[in-house]
Amino acid sequence: MSGIDNLPPLRDVISRHDLTTKKSLGQNFLLDLNLTMKVARAAGDLTNSTIVEIGPGPGGLTRALLASNASKVIAIERDHRFAGALAEISDAYPGRLEIIQADALDIDYTSLSSFGRSNAPTKIVANLPYNIATPLLINWLSSEPWPPWYQSMTLMFQKEVAQRICANQASKAYGRLAIIAGWRCHLDIAFDVAPAAFVPPPKVMSSVVSLVPKSAILPCELKKLEMITKAAFGQRRKMLRASLRNLGGETLLKNANIDGRLRAEAIGLEDFVNLANLI
Ligand code: SAH
């Protein structure tokens, strides 16, 4: 028994099912159930919620989510080798764990959330495979309509990516990701996790980020916001009048009341939205 449930310790599960890790699938497991409980707690009260988890692997976080009273966990795992270990968890929590064997990048999440009980809040909680973490996040941040199908996202990233998501204006990490994420969500770095917490340990520090969709966002087309931030930060050392030349340059900046000699990192979300709405 492991302390949070009647299932065996994860190390036993891994050796019994012969689950070696694959680097190509970003497999770095959390085997400390106190830590997976901490990640689950960062997602708030899970009672009556449906959780979408990406990459359950041997199921450490999955078990913490179920032990935290989530009414249902929908876990999407690409690697079929985990099916046996996950079936044991499903047996321990009858009817509450659904495994979808698929690539998380291919899932239609809006149809998925209707699997949950009607009006049950849906939350995304995951220790993400780091090789696809950013495209997954961009996909969820691009959901239409807004507010989206999920109530919150609680996600483990490499610390460097977490810092780019939560970056403040003028900081080195400030760029496209911070603008798109900050436009749509309230952002917070919940806590850092050292490499030694994972098996095998990754090369870098990790952080859990909490993203809660804003109920009202500044009106703007995502495509245009992406276009303007891509141009502005693609040449972030240049003045905006140069980096935005192809999108309207000086005229565009004048119409938006922005000094064309500034660099991208010097202007805030509202200015980017304003620029996007003028192109
Ligand atoms: N949640 C587990 C495992 C995290 S490692 C834990 O915290 O211990 C990342 C997991 O994502 C692995 O199980 C890996 O097989 C899975 N994964 C990698 N790419 C994936 C993809 N495209 N779609 C779904 N799962 C994927």
Side-chain angles (χ1 to χ4, degrees), residues 101-112:
Q101 204 211 305
D103 185 333
L105 287 170
D106 293 339
I107 296 279
D108 173 5
Y109 289 93
T110 45
S111 71
L112 196 70

Side-chain angles (χ1 to χ4, degrees), residues 52-55 76 104-105 107-110 112 124-129 132-150 152-157 180 184-185 211 213 222:
V52 174
E53 187 197 356
I54 309 304
I76 301 158
L105 287 170
I107 296 279
D108 173 5
Y109 289 93
T110 45
L112 196 70
I124 309 175
V125 184
N127 168 21
L128 292 175
I132 56 163
T134 309
L136 281 171
L137 177 66
I138 294 286
N139 177 353
W140 295 323
L141 286 173
S142 309
S143 295
E144 297 290 352
W146 199 266
W149 53 272
Y150 54 85
S152 66
M153 301 191 268
T154 306
L155 305 172
M156 180 95 74
F157 292 95
I180 305 288
R184 293 211 136 169
C185 289
L211 303 98
L222 171 66

Side-chain angles (χ1 to χ4, degrees), residues 25-30 53 55-57 76-79 82 102-104 127 129 132:
L25 287 176
Q27 291 177 350
N28 299 96
F29 303 141
L30 292 172
E53 187 197 356
I76 301 158
E77 173 58 63
R78 185 173 168 178
D79 189 341
F82 296 109
D103 185 333
N127 168 21
I132 56 163

